[in-house]
Amino acid sequence: MLDVSGLSKTYGEGERVTHAIAELSFSVAEGEFVCVVGPSGCGKTTLLRCMAGLLAPTSGRVTLRGHVVDGPPEQIGFVFQEYSRSLMPWLSLRDNIALPLRHKALGRDERNRLVEDAVESVGLTGFMDHYPWELSGGMQQRVAIARALAYQPEILLMDEPFASVDAQTRADLEDLVLRVRTAYGVTVVFVTHDIDEAVYLGDRVVVLTPPPTAVQEVLPVGLPEPRDQVETKELPEFAHLRAHIFRSIKRKQPDAPDLPTPT
Amino acid sequence: MVAQRVRAARPRARTVAQTWSGVAAVLLLAEVAARTGLLPRRYFPPVTEMFAELGRQTTETSFWSAVGQTLQGWALGLGIAAAFAVPIGMLLGTSAVRYRAFRVIIEFLRPIPSVALVPLAILVYGVGLESKVFLAAFAAFWPLLIQTLYGMQDVDPVALDTARVFRLGRVERLTRVVLPGAVPYVATGLRISSSVALILAVTAELVIGSPGLGREINAARVGGATDLLYALIIVTGLLGWVLNALFAAGERRVLHWHPSQRGAR
Ligand SMILES: Nc1ncnc2c1ncn2[C@@H]1O[C@H](COP(=O)(O)OP(=O)(O)OP(=O)(O)O)[C@@H](O)[C@H]1O
Ligand SMILES: [Mg+2]
């Protein structure tokens, strides 16, 4: 459904040139949950912004159902890594979440219901009339997630959305995203630097190399559904997968000892 | 609840006392200096006499009409400036091409001291209200234009990307994302322009002789009424202070979400 082919992105020129992404190709199937892991600064945000049509790639392209993405498609919802800057400080939670819905052809009741459902699912009922800056960082992040959910996208692109919440909230939000995904059949591309999270959530994990960035490997996860915070993480396959990704990333680092490549 | 009120009230009373103790000290010093002859009485009457004269003036209708005329010049000048500066700032601030096209003109016109336009104003508009309004509007236009321009350009790129990715229309993007972010700048611009407009209104009255406080000040000098001269100067200062306080209060209401005002809710 969403294909990234031969994508590369270079920022700046001359002395200050940054080759953020050397060359990347992978595809995301309809309804799939794909996690992208990679070290900090390897171009995960850059990749996601290209996929959302917010950034033009230097070469290569992103296609959505065969159409080249050259601007934000309406099927895509986005959760920004800089979540607090993506919320408008002059709008209450209600208005922030309703902001992208205003131009959709929805009745007022329908719109209110979407907003309320989304807020309830991230556990912020009762903060509807607060302003974002009256909330903690983790709560703001949940607002950004609620806004993307209320938008009812076919594809949800999430850029390290759980980076600043505590472990318990994080687990709850992970399960929330999994539930939403099953309930609405949303396709999810989820960027994280947390290998456990990638394995727990994903149908497949795309492992990126450190810069110059390329795809290190694409790993099918194949853990039983539905995932469970305790049981899934106890499975030997889970431990296996995360160890494999750890080694895979480590192998790429220059100072890492040579290990036999698993086939 | 009641106990809290009392506790909150006491430090407030103290800050008020601190604020006014400085004022009282300066006034007292000026009074003593004038009474003892340290300052020449002919040019610097005792403060009490200035205020006594001011008190007398408040019972005169001519005084109030002068205040009204000055305020009229201020209001019309500021209003006209705002009516042009804000839309023009929005137009130029939302397009790099338009901004580049007009930047040189702005950079050339802006540094012209408005007072240099006095002869032109007299030539075109005569010595009445219109000249005063023209000068005030010209001077007030620039700070407001520049602030609006800055405001339109200082939009968080992540907020703009948010608007793009959620496909907000042009109007929504402007009214919900760009403009609210520019309001703090426009508010500051209004406050600066308000002072500038008042200064130019009084200047026009002094120099051209348009009716208002400035002309009364000149008349007081010619008539040798030093007490009145000072009383009128005090009034212009008070006017500026009151107008500034009004704008600051307005800002607090409109910008309750802004980091600078959040505590004040
Ligand atoms: N607007 C920009 N201009 C110039 N260079 C940029 C820009 N955005 C990102 N880069 C560079 O591109 C590289 C990848 O950045 P990116 O933000 O995509 O990394 P990331 O994988 O998301 O990192 P993190 O995990 O820390 O969020 C970095 O070297 C960064 O310095
Ligand atoms: Mg990033």
Side-chain angles (χ1 to χ4, degrees), chain B residues 195-235:
Chain B
S195 323
V196 171
L198 184 64
I199 291 172
L200 262 293
V202 175
T203 307
E205 291 156 5
L206 275 170
V207 180
I208 308 179
S210 323
L213 283 171
R215 193 174 72 175
E216 298 304 313
I217 290 175
N218 230 355
R221 175 189 62 88
V222 173
T226 328
D227 288 350
L228 178 58
L229 182 71
Y230 277 101
L232 292 172
I233 292 173
I234 291 170
V235 170

Side-chain angles (χ1 to χ4, degrees), chain A residues 12 24 33 49 63 73 92 129 135 137 144 155 168 202 214 227 231 255:
Chain A
L24 271 184
F33 199 125
R49 291 166 62 86
T63 52
S92 64
D129 296 311
L135 307 181
I155 306 164
Q168 183 55 48
R227 309 274 162 93
E231 281 168 26
D255 55 331

Side-chain angles (χ1 to χ4, degrees), chain A residues 11-12 16 18-21 38-47 55 81 159-160 191 193 208 211:
Chain A
Y11 289 109
R16 300 181 44 81
T18 311
H19 298 284
I21 297 176
S40 178
C42 78
K44 303 183 295 296
T45 298
T46 305
L47 166 67
L55 198 63
Q81 186 172 12
D159 194 357
E160 305 201 22
V191 161
H193 56 247
L208 300 182

Side-chain angles (χ1 to χ4, degrees), chain B residues 10 18 35-36 44 52 67 73 76 85 126 140 143-144 148 153 172 185 187 191 198 225 238 242 261:
Chain B
R10 218 175 285 137
Q18 279 163 358
R35 293 262 177 221
T36 54
F44 200 91
V67 170
L76 289 173
L144 202 44
T148 310
Q153 280 160 6
E172 291 239 283
Y185 289 85
R191 196 150 41 79
L198 184 64
L238 285 177
V242 168
Q261 310 288 357

Side-chain angles (χ1 to χ4, degrees), chain B residues 7 16 19 26 41 61 92 129 133 135 139 167 186 190 260:
Chain B
R7 225 175 302 140
V16 169
T19 309
V26 170
R41 184 105 181 208
T61 43
L92 298 186
L129 176 66
V133 170
L135 290 172
R167 297 165 62 94
V186 175
L190 269 178
S260 68

Side-chain angles (χ1 to χ4, degrees), chain A residues 49 52-54 72-74 76 78 80 82 85-86 88-91 99-100 102-103 131 133-134 147-148 151, chain B residues 156-169 172 175-181 256-258 262 265:
Chain A
R49 291 166 62 86
L54 285 172
E74 62 181 335
I76 284 182
F78 204 98
F80 287 86
E82 304 94 338
R85 287 166 58 199
S86 91
M88 312 298 150
W90 46 84
L91 297 180
L99 181 61
R102 290 165 58 90
H103 62 92
Y131 287 86
W133 39 270
E134 294 176 311
R147 181 176 57 191
Y151 189 63
Chain B
D156 194 319
V158 178
L160 284 182
D161 279 342
T162 305
R164 275 184 69 201
V165 92
F166 288 110
R167 297 165 62 94
L168 300 195
E172 291 239 283
T175 57
R176 303 238 130 197
V177 180
V178 179
L179 285 185
H256 65 90
W257 54 268
H258 193 260
R262 280 173 196 174
R265 265 236 283 188

